[in-house]
């Protein structure tokens, strides 16, 4: 049975597409009020408008890599709902899959800014409110690229490894103060990041690498969102500082090709 999020106030970043969109839908369906944050505000508005109960959510523009933008967005959420119970740090971008000597400093900086500085800035902005109530949940969308190479290029892999470091340090610093922090490490998931709008030339399910994994398929974003919902609930109260791999066995297969 889905855990109730009754009147919890949840922020989801990267809410306009993919896993973030599914997180908005799952949390609202579980009874939460959700702030759908995205750099693409029209997309976030579409997500909110398509909900069965659009009055339980708001769309907020944010660039998670910008301190100013994050401060303004969190202020808007606090004005709307009065508090933040759960932060899903989910916004992210992929890199060009290139090795170190082939990437520009701009690509490196942008990837780190969105994928690592973004979750840090968002956490930093909501933590004072959480500390004031000795209560809060932070869920970082990391990746199998947080634990292994080859799921992205140099910048993405380095940034996503950093997200686990952030998860663990936040746990160390704030766990005793009531804030529970965990990370989700998805494998190949059908989202705007893997299948850009307009589709792709290759059929995702026939992708050779995917077919070598035990699950032999891509994940649906809702499967990742339901893990976030579980981690935000009281059933997960004893879980701190962990990295949950949800990859259809990809990493197992990478170590033991089948
Ligand atoms: N899709 C996969 O296979 C996969 C695997 C592992 C991890 N991930 C991670 O999952 C998370 C969600 O990605 P997705 O696959 O749903 O991709 P997606 O492209 O469908 O969604 C990402 C969303 O983030 C938003 N975004 C991008 N830059 C932003 C910024 N600076 N500020 C605010 N919002 C911004 C985009 O507008 C988009 O709506 C990312 O952190 C990604 O790295 C994805």
């Amino acid at each position: 049975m889905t855990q109730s999020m009754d009147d919890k106030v949840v922020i989801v970043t990267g809410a306009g597409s993919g896993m973030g969109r599914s997180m908005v839908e799952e949390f609202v369906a579980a009874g939460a009020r959700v702030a759908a944050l995205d750099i693409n505000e029209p997309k976030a508005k579409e997500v909110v408008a398509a909900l069965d109960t659009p009055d339980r959510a708001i769309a907020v523009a944010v660039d998670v890599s910008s301190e100013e933008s994050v401060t303004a967005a969190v202020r808007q959420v606090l004005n709307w709902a009065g508090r933040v119970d759960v932060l899903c740090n989910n916004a992210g971008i992929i890199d060009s899959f290139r090795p170190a000597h082939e990437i520009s400093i701009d690509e490196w900086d942008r990837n780190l800014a969105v994928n690592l500085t973004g979750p840090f800035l968002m956490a930093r902005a909501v933590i004072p409110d959480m500390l004031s109530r000795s209560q809060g949940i932070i869920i970082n969308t990391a990746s199998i690229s947080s634990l292994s190479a080859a799921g992205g290029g140099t910048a993405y892999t380095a940034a996503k490894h950093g997200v686990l470091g952030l998860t663990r340090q936040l746990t160390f610093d704030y766990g005793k103060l009531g804030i529970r922090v965990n990370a989700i490490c998805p494998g190949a998931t059908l989202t705007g990041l893997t299948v850009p709008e307009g589709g792709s030339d290759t059929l995702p399910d026939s992708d050779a690498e995917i077919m070598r994994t035990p699950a032999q398929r891509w994940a649906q974003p809702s499967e990742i969102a339901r893990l976030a919902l579980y981690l935000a609930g009281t059933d997960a109260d004893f879980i701190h500082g962990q990295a949950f791999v949800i990859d259809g066995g990809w990493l197992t297969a990478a170590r033991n090709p089948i």
Side-chain angles (χ1 to χ4, degrees):
M1 201 182 93
T2 306
Q3 293 188 81
S4 167
M5 283 287 125
D6 38 43
D7 245 354
K8 297 284 181 203
V9 177
V10 179
I11 289 180
V12 177
T13 69
S17 173
M19 295 176 204
R21 178 181 190 137
S22 284
M23 287 176 192
V24 173
E25 292 165 352
E26 292 287 339
F27 276 101
V28 168
R33 282 185 290 161
V34 180
L37 272 59
D38 206 289
I39 197 166
N40 188 336
E41 193 183 11
K43 280 273 196 186
K45 282 186 170 158
E46 274 176 38
V47 169
V48 170
L51 293 167
D52 289 340
T53 51
D55 54 312
R56 302 210 48 89
I58 50 161
V60 177
V62 75
D63 175 354
V64 295
S65 69
S66 154
E67 183 176 17
E68 201 185 351
S69 175
V70 165
T71 303
V74 170
R75 192 179 304 125
Q76 198 179 328
V77 177
L78 288 171
N79 286 340
W80 173 64
R83 62 176 199 278
V84 177
D85 297 303
V86 180
L87 165 64
C88 292
N89 254 331
N90 169 78
I93 54 171
I94 191 68
D95 64 4
S96 64
F97 284 85
R98 293 208 181 93
H101 74 285
E102 291 181 10
I103 62 171
S104 66
I105 190 67
D106 286 349
E107 176 175 345
W108 171 267
D109 283 347
R110 186 67 193 147
N111 221 276
L112 271 283
V114 176
N115 290 337
L116 182 54
T117 305
F120 157 69
L121 288 174
M122 287 297 307
R124 195 182 64 159
V126 301
I127 281 170
D129 170 68
M130 292 178 171
L131 285 178
S132 73
R133 289 172 292 104
S134 303
Q135 193 176 312
I137 310 270
I138 298 175
I139 299 164
N140 297 322
T141 308
S143 171
I144 51 172
S145 295
S146 302
L147 299 158
S148 66
T154 309
Y156 186 80
T157 302
K160 289 294 186 180
H161 272 66
V163 172
L164 288 196
L166 177 68
T167 302
R168 290 171 180 139
Q169 191 64 38
L170 291 176
T171 298
F172 179 80
D173 290 332
Y174 299 108
K176 286 180 187 159
L177 303 175
I179 302 176
R180 205 157 57 68
V181 189
N182 285 290
I184 295 176
C185 301
T189 308
L190 285 172
T191 68
L193 188 136
T194 47
V195 186
E197 249 173 68
S200 126
D201 290 342
T202 52
L203 246 185
D205 277 337
S206 66
D207 186 273
E209 203 151 0
I210 302 292
M211 292 311 280
R212 275 198 296 274
T213 67
Q216 295 189 295
R217 65 171 178 83
W218 292 68
Q220 292 297 328
S222 57
E223 295 179 279
I224 314 300
R226 285 196 294 271
L227 178 55
L229 189 62
Y230 167 73
L231 288 172
T234 50
D235 285 355
D237 260 355
F238 202 55
I239 303 176
H240 284 255
Q242 295 305 302
F244 284 84
V245 176
I246 173 165
D247 69 344
W250 177 301
L251 289 181
T252 311
R255 282 193 292 273
N256 305 300
I258 52 174

